[in-house]
Amino acid sequence: MAGEHTDMKRVISTQDAPEAVGAYSQATTNGNILFTAGQIPMTPDGDLLDDEDITVQTRQSLENVKGILEEEGLTMQNVLKVTVFMDDIEDFDEMNDSYKEYFQDNPPARSAVEVANLPKGVGVEIEAIASTE
Ligand SMILES: C=C(N)C(=O)O
């Protein structure tokens, strides 16, 4: 039947990424595809790295993405699409250098954009869409 849904939405929760700082889940999946929330440079213990340079902030954001994927038995190789939000596009090269550490071969599609402000005053926020297969 058209519009029939066979896979239910499921919320993913892990201690390997920071708790949500607002009304959202760390990630959701329907069993085929997984969406992470935008990950900011906050450690799983809740330490905010907003004063660190973009290299460090990018690494922590991606460590959080990685932690969420690992909760589901996935790796960064499962990632299909990434969106990187920065509060200053001049940070692009620095962000990209750290980013490359996580996606060496066949990197996912990506959009990288400057936005006016990010939650908690951080410099970067990164979200990912991954295949669960
Ligand atoms: C940090 C977020 N992902 C949010 O506030 O939606």
Side-chain angles (χ1 to χ4, degrees), residues 2-118:
E4 187 177 356
H5 296 283
T6 53
D7 295 319
M8 297 291 288
K9 171 180 152 183
R10 184 165 55 82
V11 164
I12 294 159
S13 177
T14 179
Q15 294 188 339
D16 292 333
E19 285 179 16
V21 299
Y24 60 91
S25 299
Q26 290 172 315
T28 56
T29 183
N30 67 356
N32 300 306
I33 197 155
L34 178 151
F35 298 85
T36 77
Q39 294 302 306
I40 60 174
M42 180 183 278
T43 69
D45 291 336
D47 293 330
L48 196 60
L49 307 183
D50 56 323
D51 286 337
E52 301 289 345
D53 64 29
I54 290 300
T55 304
V56 172
Q57 294 198 39
T58 301
R59 279 199 196 111
Q60 185 60 53
S61 298
L62 287 171
E63 282 297 322
N64 296 340
V65 168
K66 194 163 167 244
I68 291 168
L69 295 174
E70 286 174 354
E71 180 69 27
E72 290 293 297
L74 305 176
T75 72
M76 298 301 249
Q77 284 298 315
N78 290 91
V79 177
L80 300 172
K81 172 76 200 294
V82 173
T83 306
V84 179
F85 305 93
M86 288 168 283
D87 71 350
D88 184 353
I89 201 69
E90 294 295 320
D91 291 334
F92 181 92
D93 288 343
E94 216 177 325
M95 175 280 293
N96 201 50
D97 284 345
S98 295
Y99 184 93
K100 281 191 281 195
E101 297 167 10
Y102 291 83
F103 297 108
Q104 281 149 14
D105 302 321
N106 303 317
R110 187 181 83 188
S111 304
V113 297
E114 178 181 297
V115 294
N117 289 292
L118 288 164

